[in-house]
Amino acid sequence: MKIIPLGDSALVVRVREEFEDAPDETLDEVLRVFHLLQRAAIPGVIELAPAYTSVAVFFDPVVILKSSDATEGVFDELATRIRSAISGASLRHRRRTAGSTPRLIEIPACYDAEFGFDLERVAEHTKLSTRKIVDLHSAGEYRVACIGFVPGFTFLAGLPKNLATPRRDEPRKEVPPGSVGIGGAQTGIYPLCSPGGWNLIGRTPLKLFDPIKNPPTLLCPGDRVRFRAITREEFAAFCEVHPGNNERFLTHSG
C-alpha cells in the first residue's frame, strides 16, 4: 500500500497497482480500506472516494494540525493515522465481512435506436450486429468500480471484451440523463445531462442521482449490476408511472 499526496488537501491511498488482472479481488480490497477509513472517522477527513485501485482522502489541513499537535507535517500525520486505522482493524474487519454479498441491482434499459445513438458505430467497430450487441450487453453481470466524473456517473467493470469500443473522437456537448454507454473496455450510465464521449447504446428510465436522498446515488461502489432489455413502450410506461423521472430528453432523437 502506498500513500501519496494529491494537492495540499488530499491524498491517495493506493491499494493495488493493477485492476484488470484481478478486478473483483482488487475492488474488494479497495472497499475494505474505504470502509475501515469510514469507521476510523479520523478528525479532519472530509470525504473518501474509492476508485479502481485506490481511495482518495480529502481533508482539512487546519483540523488535522489542531487535533494532533503534529510535528511532522499534515501529510505525514494523516498518513500515519491512515496506516494505523487500516492495519489495526484489518484482521478483525476481514473476519466480520467474510462472506458478505454485494447488492445485485437490475437496471431496465431500452436499446431502441432512438436512444442508442452509437449502436451502428459500435457494430462497425466490433463487427457484430446491433442485435448481438444488445444481447451481449444485457446478458452480462457488471460491478460498480467507482462513481465519478459527474455526481452519480457509474463506471461499470465487466464489459464483454468483444464489445470494447474506443470513445468518440468528438464528445457530445449534451448527453441525455439515463444514457447507457460504452467507453473503451467499460460500460457506464450518465445520471445527468452532461458532456460525454462514450458510445451511447441505450437508456434507462431510472433516476440514478437524487440530491435530496441519502445516499443520493442509486448505485454504490461494489454493487453488482445487470441490465434488463425493455421495449420503447415499456420505457414510456415507466415514465408515465414515475412522472418525476420523465426527463426532457425523453423524445430526443439525436
Side-chain angles (χ1 to χ4, degrees):
M1 184 182 71
K2 297 179 182 178
I3 301 179
I4 56 178
L6 183 66
D8 60 0
S9 58
L11 56 78
V12 173
V13 182
R14 188 165 298 284
V15 179
R16 296 284 184 95
E17 290 297 330
E18 299 291 338
F19 180 81
E20 290 79 5
D21 55 346
D24 274 329
E25 181 182 320
T26 300
L27 186 54
D28 285 341
E29 188 68 9
V30 167
L31 293 174
R32 183 183 71 84
V33 169
F34 170 65
H35 291 306
L36 285 174
L37 293 178
Q38 277 187 320
R39 289 173 181 272
I42 300 172
V45 171
I46 300 170
E47 187 174 2
L48 301 167
Y52 286 89
T53 60
S54 62
V55 178
V57 180
F58 298 87
F59 60 88
D60 183 332
V62 175
V63 175
I64 298 292
L65 288 173
K66 287 183 176 179
S67 67
S68 63
D69 295 325
T71 58
E72 298 182 352
V74 173
F75 176 82
D76 290 333
E77 175 65 26
L78 184 54
T80 297
R81 294 191 186 189
I82 288 172
R83 289 192 178 95
S84 177
I86 294 172
S87 61
S90 179
L91 181 59
R92 183 173 68 254
H93 185 80
R94 274 199 178 101
R95 286 172 177 167
R96 184 167 55 248
T97 58
S100 59
T101 304
R103 296 190 306 168
L104 177 59
I105 311 295
E106 184 180 79
I107 304 293
C110 179
Y111 297 92
D112 191 87
E114 180 184 354
F115 300 143
F117 305 154
D118 298 311
L119 268 173
E120 292 295 340
R121 183 176 186 273
V122 175
E124 181 179 353
H125 177 79
T126 61
K127 311 303 180 188
L128 298 170
S129 68
T130 56
R131 181 70 260 169
K132 185 65 173 178
I133 292 167
V134 172
D135 289 345
L136 286 171
H137 189 267
S138 59
E141 183 171 294
Y142 306 90
R143 199 159 183 207
V144 181
C146 60
I147 304 290
F149 167 54
V150 295
F153 186 94
T154 310
F155 291 87
L156 298 171
L159 182 73
K161 291 182 178 180
N162 53 348
L163 290 184
T165 304
R167 301 181 189 192
R168 293 168 52 87
D169 294 333
E170 186 174 333
R172 289 184 171 87
K173 294 180 180 179
E174 288 189 347
V175 173
S179 292
V180 178
I182 292 175
Q186 305 170 100
T187 188
I189 312 171
Y190 287 83
L192 307 170
C193 174
S194 68
W198 288 30
N199 302 282
L200 306 184
I201 62 171
R203 196 179 304 171
T204 178
L206 295 182
K207 190 170 187 177
L208 274 78
F209 178 74
D210 188 340
I212 68 173
K213 291 184 177 180
N214 185 24
T217 56
L218 175 65
L219 300 172
C220 299
D223 285 346
R224 296 192 178 276
V225 172
R226 288 177 182 163
F227 290 94
R228 177 173 61 85
I230 61 174
T231 65
R232 181 63 181 82
E233 291 71 25
E234 289 175 304
F235 185 98
F238 183 96
C239 293
E240 288 177 4
V241 174
H242 305 274
N245 195 33
N246 190 359
E247 304 288 355
R248 68 184 180 91
F249 282 96
L250 179 60
T251 58
H252 181 62
S253 63

